[in-house]
């Protein structure tokens, strides 16, 4: 029931991101660019869908995305689909590419969308239509969502600590991580943040 509610009959286009901070960046960027809290999308990660992820033992990260998409056809029972898309949103690194590579093996009739065929097309993100309302969207090569911010923002220090976007353990006396980055840097009204690069994400969606 949880699966069909979130992925098959979703009330809004559902954007599933790799980690817990990615949906926060997208929600905040959309709010700043469009001056609204009324999001046309639902942004989340797999782990945020608590009952569903707990039952299937799913957490965040690309391995769990692959695990989920590999079992997709075993869970899906409905013959109908929502008109709203379910979009897995991944980074442009090797981990993001692994989601695409592994998933396309399971969805034999996938289509890589050629946005050049769309009227008034601009440069958009690489997008795969897996089936029905299911898609994968990938950031440009080697890019993570934090790279959509200007370098000047990424260079801001907190109490002499530099930003470290790695998911690996690091010395917290020298660095701060992704949670502090969005809460203390991006949402700080004293930092004038340029969100214009996020348009490529929302235009693609």
């Amino acid at each position: 029931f949880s699966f069909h509610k979130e992925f098959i009959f979703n009330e809004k286009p559902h954007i599933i991101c790799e980690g817990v901070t990615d949906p926060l960046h997208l929600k905040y960027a959309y709010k700043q660019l469009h001056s609204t809290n009324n999001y046309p999308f639902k942004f989340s990660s797999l782990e945020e869908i608590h009952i569903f992820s707990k039952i299937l033992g799913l957490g965040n990260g690309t391995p769990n995305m692959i695990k989920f998409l590999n079992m997709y056809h075993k869970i899906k029972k409905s013959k109908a689909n929502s008109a709203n898309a379910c979009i897995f949103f991944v980074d442009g690194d090797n981990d993001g590419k692994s989601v695409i590579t592994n998933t396309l093996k399971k969805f034999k009739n996938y289509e890589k969308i050629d946005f050049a065929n769309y009227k008034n097309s601009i440069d958009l993100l690489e997008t795969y239509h897996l089936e029905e309302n299911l898609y994968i969207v990938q950031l440009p090569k080697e890019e993570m969502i934090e790279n959509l911010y200007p370098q000047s923002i990424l260079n801001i220090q907190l109490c002499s600590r530099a930003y470290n976007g790695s998911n690996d353990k690091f010395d917290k006396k020298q660095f701060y991580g992704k949670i502090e980055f969005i809460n203390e840097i991006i949402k700080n009204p004293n930092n004038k943040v340029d969100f214009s690069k996020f348009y490529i994400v929302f235009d693609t969606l």
Side-chain angles (χ1 to χ4, degrees):
F1 176 83
S2 179
F3 167 81
H4 285 79
K5 178 178 180 291
E6 298 290 347
F7 301 101
I8 306 301
F9 297 105
N10 35 308
E11 294 180 352
K12 291 182 177 181
H14 189 176
I15 318 303
I16 302 98
C17 304
E18 289 184 23
V20 67
T21 58
D22 294 354
L24 301 178
H25 287 292
L26 293 176
K27 288 175 71 173
Y28 195 71
Y30 192 91
K31 176 181 178 180
Q32 300 306 308
L33 292 172
H34 297 90
S35 302
T36 181
N37 285 318
N38 185 23
Y39 306 112
F41 311 103
K42 176 179 179 179
F43 301 106
S44 76
S45 61
L46 281 175
E47 196 170 280
E48 289 178 80
I49 309 169
H50 300 294
I51 296 174
F52 174 75
S53 58
K54 185 175 181 180
I55 291 171
L56 292 181
L58 295 171
N60 292 326
T62 52
N64 284 291
M65 278 191 175
I66 294 170
K67 181 180 177 181
F68 169 78
L69 290 166
N70 281 343
M71 67 172 73
Y72 187 87
H73 291 119
K74 295 180 180 179
I75 311 171
K76 183 182 176 184
K77 302 299 179 184
S78 174
K79 299 298 182 183
N81 267 70
S82 166
N84 291 318
C86 175
I87 301 171
F88 281 79
F89 183 74
V90 298
D91 291 335
D93 56 9
N94 288 333
D95 288 339
K97 195 65 181 176
S98 70
V99 175
I100 295 173
T101 303
N102 283 280
T103 301
L104 297 187
K105 297 174 183 177
K106 294 288 183 177
F107 294 84
K108 303 294 186 181
N109 297 319
Y110 75 88
E111 174 191 9
K112 185 176 181 180
I113 296 180
D114 182 5
F115 285 111
N117 294 329
Y118 285 71
K119 186 179 180 181
N120 300 325
S121 177
I122 58 175
D123 288 336
L124 297 175
L125 298 176
E126 190 169 282
T127 302
Y128 294 85
H129 181 200
L130 302 180
E131 67 174 34
E132 297 168 335
N133 71 329
L134 189 62
Y135 298 80
I136 297 179
V137 170
Q138 186 180 34
L139 285 169
K141 188 175 181 180
E142 301 306 325
E143 296 284 12
M144 296 185 293
I145 197 165
E146 290 85 0
N147 296 127
L148 297 175
Y149 296 109
Q151 190 61 44
S152 59
I153 295 296
L154 296 169
N155 289 341
I156 294 177
Q157 294 193 348
L158 282 177
C159 301
S160 301
R161 293 180 298 149
Y163 171 63
N164 188 323
S166 170
N167 290 321
D168 299 325
K169 291 183 178 180
F170 51 81
D171 186 350
K172 293 184 178 180
K173 292 182 179 180
Q174 297 186 56
F175 303 100
Y176 64 93
K178 293 183 176 183
I179 295 290
E180 285 185 283
F181 177 69
I182 189 167
N183 288 332
E184 304 297 333
I185 304 298
I186 300 304
K187 293 185 177 182
N188 186 336
N190 294 322
N191 297 325
K192 294 184 178 180
V193 182
D194 179 5
F195 292 94
S196 59
K197 281 191 175 182
F198 279 85
Y199 273 119
I200 193 172
V201 177
F202 300 126
D203 288 344
T204 302
L205 298 180

